[in-house]
Amino acid sequence: MRPKARIPRARTLTERAAARDRPLVADIRLLGRILGDVIREQDGVAAFELIERIRRLSVAYRLKRDTQAGRALDRLLTSLSTDQTVSVIRAFSYFSHLANIAEDRHYLRRREYHEQRGHLQDGSLAMTFRRLKAAGVKPASIAAALGRAYVSPVLTAHPTEVQRKSILDAERAIATLLDERDRLRHARQREENEGSIRRRVLQLWQTRMLRTAALTVNDEIENALSYYHTTFLRQIPALYRDLEQFLPGLPVPGFFRMGSWIGGDRDGHPLVSAATLDLALRRQSATVLRFYLEEIHALGAELSLSTLLCQVSPALQDLADRAEDRNEHRADEPYRRALIGIYARLSTTLVALSGQGPGTGAGPPATLPAKGYGDPVALHADLQVIADSLQAHGADALIQYRLGPLLRAVQVFGFHLATIDLRQNSAQHAAVVAELLRVGNVAPDYESLAEPERLDLLLPMIQGRRPLPLATGDLSATARAELAIFDMARDARRLYGPDALRHYIVSHTEALSDLLEVLLLFRVTGLLQAGSRPVPELIVVPLFETIPDLRRSGAIMRALYSLPGASGMLGASGGVQDVMLGYSDSNKDGGMFTSNWSLHEATVELVKLFDELRAAHPDAPVVLRLFHGRGGTVGRGGGPTYEAILAQPPGTVNGQLRVTEQGEVIASKYAHPDIGRRNLETLVAATLEATLLTPTKSAPTEFLEAAEVISGASFTAYRQLVYLTPEFEAFFFSVTPIREIRELNIGSRPASRRNSRAIEDLRAIPWSFSWGQCRVGLPGWYGFGSGIDAYLGKPGRGRPRRIALLRRMYREWPFFRTLLSNLDMVLAKSDLGIAARYMDLAEDAAAAQHLFGQINREWDRTAAALTSITGDRPRLARNPALARSIRHRFPYLDPLNHLQVELMRRFRQGGDAQPGHDRLRRGIHISINGLAAGLRNTG
């Protein structure tokens, strides 16, 4: 009898996941082994063995729930000397950095795997175009939507990036080597690759992790520009090329632009001035023009085509002749001669706009004198002549690799690189206007006037019906410095083009006069021409930040457009009105759920208003563009961008999107060109889907009513803890590393708006950063459990119906589903067992025990509510990639938290005069760095 054939056993889900993760595990082990070798070589066997013992105990405690290992770990960590503690912290911090590199590489590896097999993923252009086609959206309609669109990520210098540029550069090099390693097949090549990685890890180990001095605005400008070299200058043209392939034969307009706040954001930032704005503009211009020169120089080497072998267009021949290149060796090479002329003109432009020559890497100095380009349109036209001629004699292939992307880069980046936003607090504008009116004998005390009186005074001056107060020579130095920014903006638009500066953001917009004050300052400095329909050169952008500001945003904008001639004035200025919504401050003000709900309500109200305006003024329609001021953590409006855009209420995107990218988010998204390309693609994909596929009807009334009840109770619970509990401020400053975070040299901006410890004055970034470090993550979840309990009410017949409605909201309402997904992520990253150790730092032990008990109970309520609604008992059940990441890295973060608490205890008890004081502070700061890297977010 023949034996039965053995049927292969199907691999379980766990086995398949393990197989997928095998390359990741191998990379982490490789990098961990190399780091261990470097530590053994540099710090000695004893240091290495200590770190290894801590690692093994931590893994046993975290993954195997070995309580005996946990007790041994506690005893060991508290017995370490300061020097041993700092050495261990450095080791685990660098391991977190290296694990991030391995995870990024695995992300790209998995993406390549899926692309090769035709598996489309959410957030990709391929998936979006498939969905558009399935919905019957024609390519012409997509192209038309892009023609009306404006999408712009805006880089800010908000201080959440704890890594030095030197560290980031070394890590980029390791990432590149890890990429190369996947393609190496020979043992010798892999040995050489490992040797190169080892050298870079050695470099990291002997490179100072912390900055010894605060960043300046100049530093922040240069840091941001490095991402253009790494990613934006090449990946944005590549993104356009992909769109052209999806829309063959249809024009793809220049809808995608870069923005920046660096050098122009002076809200609470005394170091930003007209001089820093000037520097930012010059450095941005130099960066993009040098890139063009580099590409044109390379094109000159490539386009060696001879008229003996091809016939060029008359326009190309004319362009070559105008270069006046007399070199006889190039007599039959018109493309090279044309490019020499373009190069010369662009070199002159570079000197005119930045005061600098081509410099290293941008090619040699120009060999011919030439008149510079007046604007990027003229440069684009010359390059288009070359492209048209190549196409005419069948050399299209020579366009695709370099010339095509260069043409698109000139269209996107111009001579300015990125649009710089100006931003200032409304209180500062009011002070300058008050001084102008007082010195000009118009109003002795403007700031004491009621809102109607302010409007009656401002509007006639803006429209030119009343003389301006122009006695600027008698103003204070502060007022003159503010007006100098406006003067610089006016001159810069003439020099670099109107796209160099387009937006003026008014922080803390609380009343209509806050916007009119800026328009008056425009009028004083020549940025607005008076008349019945005065036209401002910049878009005045209100920023609604707090919960009350968000709630009155619709009324303020309605009042603005009710002013005589306002609709025509703003329509004449370009037909677009940006409105910025503040995620982080509203969260700090009212808690996570109320912040999100207030943002949702504000956007719905604004869309309704602008729909009414379009109907009332069809001859001068004004388009609403929402600017989302999102942070890095969920507590500051962070979270996955794709889901966040699709969760916007119907009609709020409409092809218009600006979103802030800040701090460590910039590095995580854009430090690697391939990951950067994916994130740029996601912005476009989500914008197209939200514009062309989102249902037009709003959520059912019962959803909205439930959210209103949840928001009210959540707000009450959050405010009661944070602002109405007298002991909370001292508790926060003692049990979190906020004091130490304020000492970190991670940005040029102060941690508080005023010189105080008040929670109200503290910026949202250090607020979220501190809670994340001690593993509470309070801003990302607190109040939700209370909100759900209040909505469900007491047990009874109505409770099952309400639970069923919440589950339906989760299934059917993108707003609610995305919010709960982010909440799930925050809870997964929190660990109140670790957080309990920070309570030992409290100056008032009884108050700390009471408050931490309150936080614990709310965490339990929130976790239970989330499980009840989603049905997912383990955290991150629907996000296995993040669950895997947390599982791998948490055993390496736990010792950092334990040691951070121990060093903070020693540091705070000993005072400044204690021996090793600076060493203790350094150890704490390194632990902050390591935890930020391990958790992959700060603020």
Side-chain angles (χ1 to χ4, degrees), residues 461-464 490 494 519 522-523 525-537 569:
M461 288 188 287
I462 293 169
Q463 294 177 333
R490 180 196 63 230
R494 311 288 188 273
L519 290 172
F522 282 1
R523 177 89 169 83
T525 54
L527 283 166
L528 181 147
Q529 301 303 315
S532 59
R533 293 176 60 184
V535 181
E537 291 191 27
M569 171 185 77

Side-chain angles (χ1 to χ4, degrees), residues 533-536 565-576 620-622:
R533 293 176 60 184
V535 181
S567 181
M569 171 185 77
L570 295 165
S573 70
V576 175
V622 180

Side-chain angles (χ1 to χ4, degrees), residues 207-449:
T207 295
R208 175 171 35 84
M209 186 178 281
L210 302 174
R211 301 184 183 99
T212 55
L215 283 176
T216 66
V217 180
N218 298 9
D219 295 327
E220 291 168 341
I221 292 168
E222 296 304 320
N223 286 348
L225 291 176
S226 70
Y227 293 99
Y228 285 87
H229 295 295
T230 302
T231 297
F232 299 126
L233 286 167
R234 297 192 186 277
Q235 295 304 324
I236 291 178
L239 175 66
Y240 276 102
R241 185 181 64 232
D242 289 347
L243 286 167
E244 290 166 354
Q245 291 172 352
F246 283 111
L247 297 169
L250 293 171
V252 177
F255 70 97
F256 195 97
R257 295 286 191 270
M258 290 301 299
S260 176
W261 278 12
I262 306 170
D265 175 15
R266 55 196 201 285
D267 177 18
H269 200 324
L271 301 178
V272 175
S273 64
T276 57
L277 176 60
D278 178 47
L279 176 66
L281 288 161
R282 285 189 288 107
R283 289 295 301 124
Q284 287 192 177
S285 184
T287 296
V288 72
L289 291 176
R290 285 178 172 174
F291 172 74
Y292 297 159
L293 286 167
E294 179 183 344
E295 293 299 287
I296 289 165
H297 182 64
L299 270 174
E302 293 170 10
L303 297 184
S304 54
L305 287 64
S306 169
T307 51
L308 300 175
L309 301 169
C310 63
Q311 185 175 357
V312 302
S313 70
L316 187 282
Q317 188 63 55
D318 179 61
L319 188 63
D321 292 343
R322 280 189 279 126
E324 298 184 0
D325 175 27
R326 305 303 182 196
N327 190 310
E328 61 182 18
H329 297 293
R330 291 189 288 267
D332 65 330
E333 297 174 344
Y335 287 106
R336 281 182 164 171
R337 288 193 288 122
L339 287 163
I340 284 172
I342 293 172
Y343 188 96
R345 292 192 66 185
L346 200 58
S347 294
T348 302
T349 307
L350 172 62
V351 173
L353 296 184
S354 72
Q356 301 172 357
T360 304
T367 57
L368 300 171
K371 181 182 178 182
Y373 285 103
D375 56 49
V377 174
L379 170 62
H380 190 278
D382 281 354
L383 294 172
Q384 190 63 53
V385 166
I386 296 175
D388 291 343
S389 179
L390 288 169
Q391 191 172 36
H393 60 74
D396 304 57
L398 299 178
I399 301 173
Q400 296 171 8
Y401 174 69
R402 194 180 304 276
L403 180 56
L406 178 58
L407 278 162
R408 184 64 80 171
V410 172
Q411 181 193 53
V412 170
F413 301 110
F415 289 167
H416 65 285
L417 186 67
T419 300
I420 297 180
D421 290 358
L422 303 179
R423 184 171 81 128
Q424 180 57 288
N425 195 292
S426 59
Q428 296 297 320
H429 300 136
V432 174
V433 166
E435 192 170 340
L436 275 169
L437 297 179
R438 185 179 67 253
V439 171
N441 296 316
V442 177
D445 190 5
Y446 168 80
E447 290 182 280
S448 70
L449 299 179

